[in-house]
Amino acid sequence: MNLSTALSLIITVFVCGILYYRMVKREIPEPIGWIQALVPIALGMATMEISGFIGVKLFFANTALRTAVDQMPSLMGSLVSAFMAAGMPEEVIKFIAIILFATIFKPRLKNVYEYILLGAAVGFGFTIMEEMAYSGDDTWMEIIYMLLRKVSVPAHMAFNMLMGEFIGIARYRKVLKKESSVSYYIIALFAPIIIHTIYDAFTALNKFIVNPDSFVSGIILVLVGYIGLPVWIIYMLIRCKKKTGDFCSMILLPE
């Protein structure tokens, strides 16, 4: 393990670990147990490998699709690339992982807040593997790039907190025997996909950057992405903290 990878792992675990630990401790009337807290992190680590393989097959190894994307207008090409390579495969696999855990451990999930914790844990595990995979050589440029990525290191936690919230609300509505909850599952899946896709289209897969005629536009989109996502992450974390009591009060009683 080189210096860049080691630093990336330490910072990721430290930042996301503290955020997740504080979230767990805030649950009312008492926090979840350590098994329920840790198992989804391991599950999240596995989702990175699976979704990474799917993303490569869907986009990077698909010559016909990449040729078609290259012929698209820059914005459309950036969005399609981001959707196929990251936004769609990563969030779909994490959605399946959350649903799988929620189904197996259903008796343990007492309220909507625990679904949010479940999403945060899966996102935490995914981030550990992703940040290690994206670490480069021990050059100053690679280390600086790695540190810049850490500005939005809780991104996957935030994506999947949102996902877990809407899955939890869907389950809560079922307990209350209200009308169909399908729309909440749709939001749970597609809201993170859309946010994730836009961010990657503006940053890592920004096709404006490679065109001298649209370079300035590309830089503006990069800045919007690198500033906008951390602002949204902070909003999600603060919102979850303020509404912890409300989410904990949404009890998932036996059906």
Side-chain angles (χ1 to χ4, degrees):
M1 182 182 294
N2 58 25
L3 176 62
S4 178
T5 302
L7 282 174
S8 179
L9 180 60
I10 291 168
I11 295 171
T12 297
V13 172
F14 180 76
V15 173
C16 293
I18 287 178
L19 290 173
Y20 181 57
Y21 176 79
R22 289 170 66 88
M23 287 178 63
V24 169
K25 287 299 182 181
R26 280 200 300 267
E27 185 177 3
I28 303 168
E30 60 183 10
I32 57 176
W34 67 269
I35 293 178
Q36 188 175 338
L38 296 180
V39 171
I41 296 177
L43 190 62
M45 295 173 73
T47 63
M48 192 275 169
E49 299 296 333
I50 297 169
S51 63
F53 175 79
I54 293 173
V56 167
K57 289 295 185 181
L58 284 177
F59 184 70
F60 292 108
N62 191 328
T63 305
L65 177 59
R66 294 189 67 181
T67 300
V69 168
D70 289 339
Q71 296 172 351
M72 294 177 182
S74 295
L75 181 58
M76 180 61 70
S78 298
L79 289 169
V80 172
S81 299
F83 177 79
M84 297 298 293
M88 185 268 290
E90 291 181 10
E91 300 309 326
V92 167
I93 295 299
K94 288 186 289 177
F95 178 84
I96 293 171
I98 291 172
I99 293 292
L100 179 63
F101 184 94
T103 301
I104 295 173
F105 288 83
K106 189 174 181 180
R108 289 179 175 266
L109 296 167
K110 301 185 294 293
N111 54 57
V112 171
Y113 188 71
E114 293 191 1
Y115 276 85
I116 296 173
L117 291 177
L118 171 57
V122 170
F124 182 10
F126 186 97
T127 302
I128 292 172
M129 300 302 293
E130 183 178 64
E131 292 301 312
M132 289 181 64
Y134 284 172
S135 297
D137 299 325
D138 288 341
T139 63
W140 283 111
M141 289 298 295
E142 288 289 350
I143 292 175
I144 290 171
Y145 174 68
M146 179 271 294
L147 292 174
L148 285 174
R149 284 182 54 83
K150 295 302 175 280
V151 173
S152 57
V153 73
H156 284 284
M157 285 182 66
F159 293 152
N160 302 128
M161 285 165 59
L162 182 63
M163 185 179 285
E165 175 184 336
F166 279 93
I167 293 174
I169 292 174
R171 297 284 173 95
Y172 180 66
R173 287 170 64 84
K174 184 177 180 182
V175 167
L176 296 181
K177 294 181 171 58
K178 291 194 173 183
E179 61 270 19
S180 174
S181 303
V182 173
S183 61
Y184 287 85
Y185 285 107
I186 292 172
I187 294 171
L189 176 59
F190 284 98
I193 287 178
I194 291 169
I195 297 169
H196 192 165
T197 295
I198 291 173
Y199 172 72
D200 278 14
F202 283 13
T203 56
L205 296 171
N206 185 337
K207 293 188 176 296
F208 287 91
I209 294 289
V210 297
N211 186 345
D213 295 332
S214 61
F215 182 77
V216 174
S217 299
I219 291 296
I220 292 172
L221 291 180
V222 168
L223 291 174
V224 169
Y226 276 122
I227 295 172
L229 186 64
V231 169
W232 179 77
I233 293 169
I234 293 170
Y235 162 76
M236 283 294 298
L237 293 170
I238 293 174
R239 175 177 172 273
C240 181
K241 181 178 180 179
K242 288 182 176 180
K243 297 189 67 175
T244 295
D246 295 336
F247 291 132
C248 289
S249 67
M250 300 170 76
I251 305 296
L252 300 168
L253 299 174
E255 299 178 30

